[in-house]
């Protein structure tokens, strides 16, 4: 899958083309082409400055306990049958944190039991075990760090709904300048021009 929109803006055409190739290779290697739909990269070698703004195709949802478990009351206990072990470790950590390790029993690999005092099945089903958006965002920022020129250690990054940005430089970037650049590039990204 390719990006719907990808533009590299750089005053040095040859350098811009090299960064276009670098960005394409890194996004492909990290399997982000199916995640990112639009990307605009701006490089100013004079300041120096690197700015990437992009749009994520569709943010994945939250994984809740009810998505991979079957929870019921049985013999005075809440019994949780695990249908998929993929998120078991995170789920156990959440249960221990919320209810205390001493109140969570795991008699076998696919079963967890809790005492019912103060707990409802619905409450347990709605425990967020994994927010996949955090991992996607971390992967995108990781990619941008690889794409940005080496030595650009002063950086700012963010995510707002499905729009992300990453700005980096060797120099301190005045806050108003960074905000204006980010705002301008996001506007261009949304327009696709």
């Amino acid at each position: 899958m390719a990006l719907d929109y990808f533009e590299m803006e750089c005053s040095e055409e040859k350098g811009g083309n090299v960064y276009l190739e670098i960005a394409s290779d890194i996004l492909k290697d990290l399997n982000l082409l199916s995640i990112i739909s639009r990307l605009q990269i701006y490089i100013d070698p004079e300041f120096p400055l690197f700015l990437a703004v992009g749009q994520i195709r569709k943010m994945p949802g939250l994984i809740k306990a009810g998505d991979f478990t079957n929870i019921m009351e049985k013999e005075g206990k809440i019994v949780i049958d695990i249908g998929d072990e993929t998120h078991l470790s995170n789920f156990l950590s959440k249960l221990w944190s919320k209810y205390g390790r001493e109140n969570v029993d795991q008699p076998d690999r696919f079963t967890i039991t809790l005492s019912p005092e103060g707990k409802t099945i619905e409450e347990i089903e709605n425990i967020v075990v994994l927010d996949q958006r955090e991992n996607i965002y971390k992967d995108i920022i990781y990619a941008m760090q690889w794409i940005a020129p080496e030595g650009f250690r002063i950086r700012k990054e963010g995510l707002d709904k499905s729009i992300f940005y990453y700005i980096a430089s060797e120099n301190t970037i005045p806050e108003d300048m960074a905000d204006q650049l980010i705002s301008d590039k996001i506007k261009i990204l949304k327009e696709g021009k």
Side-chain angles (χ1 to χ4, degrees):
M1 182 178 286
L3 298 175
D4 298 335
Y5 171 80
F6 186 15
E7 184 177 322
M8 176 71 64
E9 185 180 343
C10 182
S11 59
E12 294 179 6
E13 185 178 341
K14 191 173 184 178
N17 289 336
V18 169
Y19 270 97
L20 185 67
E21 286 181 38
I22 291 170
S24 297
D25 289 345
I26 289 172
L27 294 174
K28 183 176 154 192
D29 290 347
L30 295 175
N31 293 322
L32 292 173
L33 294 176
S34 62
I35 305 293
I36 299 171
S37 67
R38 305 169 71 74
L39 180 64
Q40 179 167 11
I41 296 176
Y42 169 77
I43 300 175
D44 180 353
E46 299 298 318
F47 183 77
L49 179 98
F50 173 88
L51 170 62
V53 295
Q55 185 169 24
I56 299 169
R57 288 184 196 279
K58 183 179 181 218
M59 285 299 273
L62 303 173
I63 295 179
K64 296 182 179 183
D67 295 335
F68 63 95
T69 64
N70 183 22
I71 304 171
M72 65 195 108
E73 271 196 66
K74 189 176 180 184
E75 299 174 5
K77 293 194 177 259
I78 295 179
V79 178
I80 305 168
D81 289 325
I82 308 299
D84 178 4
E85 290 181 273
T86 306
H87 307 292
L88 179 58
S89 174
N90 284 348
F91 184 43
L92 278 170
S93 294
K94 299 280 182 175
L95 290 173
W96 293 336
S97 174
K98 188 167 181 135
Y99 302 120
R101 199 175 196 124
E102 66 281 358
N103 297 315
V104 179
D105 186 37
Q106 188 179 13
D108 63 57
R109 201 164 120 184
F110 296 102
T111 309
I112 298 171
T113 60
L114 304 168
S115 61
E117 292 98 32
K119 303 167 194 82
T120 66
I121 291 173
E122 185 177 332
E123 173 189 352
I124 296 167
E125 287 176 335
N126 287 319
I127 292 175
V128 175
V129 176
L130 180 66
D131 184 349
Q132 297 178 93
R133 297 173 294 189
E134 290 175 12
N135 292 337
I136 297 289
Y137 179 63
K138 286 178 188 175
D139 289 348
I140 290 169
I141 296 306
Y142 178 74
M144 294 306 122
Q145 290 171 342
W146 276 95
I147 295 169
E150 195 168 328
F152 281 31
R153 300 289 180 232
I154 298 171
R155 64 181 194 239
K156 179 180 177 181
E157 65 231 11
L159 174 69
D160 182 26
K161 296 180 184 160
S162 67
I163 302 289
F164 67 88
Y165 66 86
Y166 178 90
I167 188 167
S169 180
E170 291 177 346
N171 305 326
T172 301
I173 308 166
E175 195 70 30
D176 58 335
M177 176 186 167
D179 291 344
Q180 187 62 52
L181 274 169
I182 292 165
S183 176
D184 291 348
K185 297 305 175 189
I186 287 174
K187 183 178 179 186
I188 292 169
L189 177 82
K190 287 180 176 179
E191 293 171 357
K193 296 178 182 177

